[in-house]
Amino acid sequence: MMRAEKMVLVGNERGVHGRVATRLAGIAASHGVRLFLCHGEDRVECSSILDVLSLALARGTAVGLVAEGPQAERALAAAAEIINAQDDACHDRAG
């Protein structure tokens, strides 16, 4: 199984909010991967929007991204773009 990992910084001034969490879940589904966000001791699967929101990730927070599956690299790149985005404009086009 393919696996890819990357550290990214949350770029949006509102942090990881509902629209970001929804987009991450969509990326996981459309790429057929398991996508995880890791912060401190917490690791949540991005398919659960509520779990992602429970991390309460603010702008500037470093988080780990892990993707597992045949399109892990592509999913990881798309997810990193969403998390790094400084505004919501890219949420409609990335993925």
Side-chain angles (χ1 to χ4, degrees):
M1 174 182 297
M2 297 290 296
R3 179 183 169 97
E5 299 181 37
K6 183 175 188 171
M7 290 297 292
V8 296
L9 290 177
V10 176
N12 192 293
E13 66 183 24
R14 295 186 293 156
V16 176
H17 55 84
R19 194 168 183 193
V20 175
T22 300
R23 192 68 190 118
L24 292 172
I27 288 168
S30 68
H31 288 84
V33 300
R34 293 185 72 195
L35 184 63
F36 300 92
L37 268 179
C38 307
H39 182 251
E41 297 296 317
D42 295 320
R43 174 180 159 133
V44 300
E45 192 160 358
C46 293
S47 61
S48 172
I49 295 168
L50 290 178
D51 285 351
V52 170
L53 293 175
S54 75
L55 295 176
L57 300 170
R59 182 181 198 168
T61 303
V63 295
L65 271 173
V66 178
E68 299 173 345
Q71 294 188 43
E73 291 288 339
R74 291 181 68 197
L76 192 71
E81 181 180 350
I82 293 296
I83 292 174
N84 286 141
Q86 294 185 8
D87 58 42
D88 293 334
C90 82
H91 297 163
D92 291 327
R93 69 175 187 273

